[in-house]
Amino acid sequence: MPYPLAPAARRLRARRARRRAVLVPGDAVRVAALASVVVGLAGFGAVVGAVLFLVLGGTMLARALGAPRTLDLALGTTTLVAAWAAALDWYRALGWLDLAVHLVATGLIAALAHLTLVRLGVAPPPDAAVADPTRRHRPRLGAGVVTSAVGVALATLWELGEWFGNTVLDDRIQVGYTDTVSDLTAGTVGAVVAGVLVARGALLPRVRRWTGS
């Protein structure tokens, strides 16, 4: 028999349920992402449809995690634009767009990844209380380092995915030494910027949001 929830836990769960029930700006992006999956599959094929489906999944994850509205909207918009830019060959027409997308998207995804780790209990919140107040702690600095490290790791995995996609799925996916190094550089810069913003109290919620108070 499951243990009954404590009153504080019940109140926290009720608050989270109410927040999920309220429409937020990012929901408009989710609707656009869902429509894009259908259009992508019908008009551009399975590869584009799969990429857009991943974008939809990312926007739904942000909603489920209760990401701050600014992060939710920015992440959904950036990743949706990035996916369509690839499908419509905007990266070939605008040489700077690829690096800009890697920089911004990596930073936003890194922040969401850090939020995911916190929700799973793998990492402490940026404003976590310390067990020993006599020792010097910098939880926000640590959160920034984790965000940056996760962002760099994800940028690397993305480049591996591009190589796999070019080799196995579609040779129109652009790869090459210069492209890979420049994308990794942009992604690293984006991850570090995101880490700085998290350390300064931006992108992720303050302590009252983590505790539900």
Side-chain angles (χ1 to χ4, degrees), residues 106 147-160 184 191:
T106 300
T147 301
S148 299
V150 170
V152 173
L154 291 175
T156 304
L157 290 175
W158 179 261
E159 294 306 312
L160 291 174
L184 279 175

Side-chain angles (χ1 to χ4, degrees), residues 70-91:
T70 301
L71 175 60
D72 179 26
L73 181 61
L75 176 66
T77 302
T78 300
T79 53
L80 187 59
V81 169
W84 275 117
L88 299 173
D89 284 332
W90 290 353
Y91 295 127

Side-chain angles (χ1 to χ4, degrees), residues 51 68 86 126 143 203 209:
V51 172
L203 286 183
R209 289 284 304 279

Side-chain angles (χ1 to χ4, degrees), residues 56-132:
L56 176 62
T59 63
M60 296 303 294
L61 177 62
R63 186 71 155 96
L65 293 173
R69 293 184 180 184
T70 301
L71 175 60
D72 179 26
L73 181 61
L75 176 66
T77 302
T78 300
T79 53
L80 187 59
V81 169
W84 275 117
L88 299 173
D89 284 332
W90 290 353
Y91 295 127
R92 295 180 185 272
L94 302 171
W96 55 268
L97 183 59
D98 185 41
L99 295 180
V101 166
H102 274 279
L103 190 150
V104 177
T106 300
L108 295 172
I109 293 172
L112 183 67
H114 185 262
L115 178 61
T116 304
L117 294 176
V118 172
R119 296 300 193 208
L120 292 174
V122 178
D127 287 313
V130 297
D132 184 1

Side-chain angles (χ1 to χ4, degrees), residues 5-213:
L5 291 173
R10 287 198 298 269
R11 288 195 297 272
L12 176 57
R13 178 171 291 184
R15 290 192 191 99
R16 289 178 176 172
R18 286 196 297 271
R19 284 200 295 268
R20 287 193 292 267
V22 174
L23 292 176
V24 296
D27 290 335
V29 179
R30 277 176 275 278
V31 172
L34 178 60
S36 294
V37 172
V38 178
V39 174
L41 282 171
F44 296 87
V47 173
V48 172
V51 172
L52 288 165
F53 185 77
L54 288 176
V55 171
L56 176 62
T59 63
M60 296 303 294
L61 177 62
R63 186 71 155 96
L65 293 173
R69 293 184 180 184
T70 301
L71 175 60
D72 179 26
L73 181 61
L75 176 66
T77 302
T78 300
T79 53
L80 187 59
V81 169
W84 275 117
L88 299 173
D89 284 332
W90 290 353
Y91 295 127
R92 295 180 185 272
L94 302 171
W96 55 268
L97 183 59
D98 185 41
L99 295 180
V101 166
H102 274 279
L103 190 150
V104 177
T106 300
L108 295 172
I109 293 172
L112 183 67
H114 185 262
L115 178 61
T116 304
L117 294 176
V118 172
R119 296 300 193 208
L120 292 174
V122 178
D127 287 313
V130 297
D132 184 1
T134 63
R135 298 184 60 186
R136 190 174 185 180
H137 293 269
R138 297 187 179 90
R140 280 210 161 268
L141 178 59
V145 171
V146 170
T147 301
S148 299
V150 170
V152 173
L154 291 175
T156 304
L157 290 175
W158 179 261
E159 294 306 312
L160 291 174
E162 283 192 346
W163 170 84
F164 177 83
N166 174 270
T167 304
V168 178
L169 302 176
D170 190 342
D171 59 9
R172 291 177 299 173
I173 298 175
Q174 298 182 43
V175 294
Y177 181 81
T178 301
D179 178 75
T180 299
V181 171
S182 59
D183 288 351
L184 279 175
T185 301
T188 299
V189 172
V192 171
V193 171
V196 171
L197 291 175
V198 168
R200 293 179 63 85
L203 286 183
L204 295 183
R206 292 282 189 174
V207 63
R208 61 183 178 81
R209 289 284 304 279
W210 296 102
T211 61
S213 58

